[in-house]
Each structure stands twice: as C-alpha cells, then as structure tokens.
C-alpha cells in the first residue's frame, strides 16, 4: 500500500509520519485490496488550539473509496481513532461483499422526498470524479465507506446516472432521472 502524507498549515514531523504509516499498514490485515492511502493532518489554528487539529484518511481499495476523519486532541490520538473507524468500516465492507456474493444482500428503497430550496446558492468547491457502472446495492456500500451523505454513480441496470443518499431517520433513498415518455 502506498501512503501519501500531507500537512496543512504545518510541516509533518518524521516521527508523526512514521507513526501514521505504521498504523495504516495494520489495516491490510483486515482488507488486502488497499491500493493507496492519503493521510492528511490539518492544524486550523496554527498550533494555538488543540481542538483545531484534524486527521483525515482516504483509502483507495481497488475502485472503492473508504474515508474517515477525527478532529481535536493530539494528532497521535487522532490517528488511532481514525484507524479504529477505518477498521470497522473495512470489516463491514468485507462482510457485505461476502453477503452479496451469496445473494443475501439487497436494500429496499423508499420514495424520494422533494428537496427543499436552500437560501445560499454559493458554490464553494468543485470536485470531479468518474462515474463507474454499479448496482444500487454496490452504491449503498460505497456510500457507507465514503462517510458522505450521498453518492453519485452510473446505474448498471438502467445505464443512467443515479444518486443514492442516506435518509435522516435511517435507511437509504435512490434518486433516478425521470425519463418521461420516451417511446
């Protein structure tokens, strides 16, 4: 596994870099398909406040992205906490893959609510990504691993773009475009 270590607003010491790489390498015993890991340390207050320290790890696992972050305390405690979160996510992901191979998987999707308009319409960040063909069940698995509230994918069943999202009170929703009467 290739590990990339970055520091935002400070230089990462060799000791901290080695500690992070050593902890992340232990994740390979749970899931051996990890290609690369991005470990990012951020010190938002320039070293003045302990709770402004953030550790974020993004794993690339042969097409799947697994992400976790921790804020506050020391960087060393943040690494430990993030690695624990990633271990749980990887174990869950591995079990779901096994269940899907056996045919036990499959989520029921409920009706999609109409989103409410937001007052602020300022685009703060633009992010580009590839749309991989996958089933909605695979997209739910990817959503769980990413730590985000939604996941955009190309539905392998309909060959259209779709969005799976986490509902406030549990469960998942699936947004698909209304193709109308295209007969």
């Amino acid at each position: 596994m290739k590990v990339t270590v970055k520091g935002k607003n400070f230089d990462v010491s060799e000791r901290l870099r080695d500690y992070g790489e050593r902890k992340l390498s232990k994740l390979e015993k749970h899931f051996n398909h990890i290609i690369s890991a991005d470990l990012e340390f951020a010190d938002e207050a320039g070293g003045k406040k302990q709770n402004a320290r953030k550790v974020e790890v993004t794993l690339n696992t042969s097409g799947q992205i697994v992400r976790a972050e921790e804020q506050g305390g020391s960087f060393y405690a943040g690494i430990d906490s993030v690695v624990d979160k990633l271990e749980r996510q990887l174990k869950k992901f591995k079990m779901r893959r096994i269940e899907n191979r056996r045919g036990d998987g499959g989520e029921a999707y409920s009706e999609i609510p109409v989103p409410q308009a937001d007052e602020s319409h300022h685009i703060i960040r633009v992010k580009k990504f590839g749309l991989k063909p996958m089933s909605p069940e695979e997209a739910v698995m990817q959503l769980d691993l990413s730590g985000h509230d939604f996941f955009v994918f190309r539905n392998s069943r309909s060959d259209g773009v779709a969005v799976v999202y986490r509902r406030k009170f549990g469960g998942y929703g699936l947004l698909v475009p209304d193709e109308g009467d295209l007969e």
Side-chain angles (χ1 to χ4, degrees):
M1 163 175 55
K2 178 186 171 205
V3 178
T4 305
V5 180
K6 296 182 241 175
K8 185 177 175 186
N9 299 331
F10 82 104
D11 292 326
V12 179
S13 70
E14 196 61 36
R15 183 176 170 218
L16 183 59
R17 177 184 306 272
D18 290 343
Y19 185 79
E21 288 175 352
R22 189 172 62 247
K23 285 292 196 170
L24 288 175
S25 69
K26 293 180 181 180
L27 293 173
E28 288 182 302
K29 72 179 181 183
H30 297 293
F31 195 75
N32 59 358
H33 298 290
I34 301 173
I35 297 169
S36 64
D38 292 329
L39 173 59
E40 185 174 317
F41 300 99
D43 190 357
E44 302 297 331
K48 296 176 183 167
K49 292 185 194 174
Q50 284 263 334
N51 62 353
R53 294 181 177 165
K54 183 169 95 171
V55 177
E56 182 177 324
V57 176
T58 305
L59 301 177
N60 181 358
T61 60
S62 59
Q64 305 294 324
I65 302 296
V66 183
R67 187 183 157 282
E69 68 179 57
E70 185 66 31
Q71 189 162 353
S74 74
F75 286 126
Y76 293 97
I79 291 170
D80 292 340
S81 179
V82 165
V83 168
D84 288 344
K85 287 179 183 179
L86 290 169
E87 266 182 2
R88 287 191 300 273
Q89 288 179 357
L90 288 173
K91 286 178 184 176
K92 187 176 178 181
F93 175 61
K94 193 174 182 179
M95 289 306 298
R96 280 191 174 175
R97 284 183 64 188
I98 291 168
E99 288 173 0
N100 283 342
R101 282 190 203 139
R102 292 182 188 153
D104 299 341
E107 293 281 337
Y109 297 99
S110 57
E111 289 296 313
I112 310 300
V114 177
Q116 299 297 317
D118 188 16
E119 294 293 321
S120 63
H121 299 297
H122 301 294
I123 297 174
I124 297 171
R125 182 178 177 190
V126 175
K127 192 171 184 179
K128 293 183 179 184
F129 58 93
L131 291 176
K132 296 183 179 181
M134 61 180 69
S135 69
E137 292 80 14
E138 290 173 293
V140 167
M141 198 179 335
Q142 180 66 30
L143 172 68
D144 285 342
L145 294 172
S146 70
H148 294 294
D149 294 328
F150 67 93
F151 183 75
V152 181
F153 66 102
R154 181 169 300 284
N155 192 335
S156 60
R157 295 178 187 152
S158 66
D159 199 36
V161 176
V163 177
V164 66
Y165 66 95
R166 194 179 326 276
R167 295 178 53 93
K168 282 184 186 177
F169 301 107
Y172 301 95
L174 179 65
L175 292 172
V176 293
D178 181 13
E179 301 297 328
D181 295 329
L182 298 175
E183 296 178 18

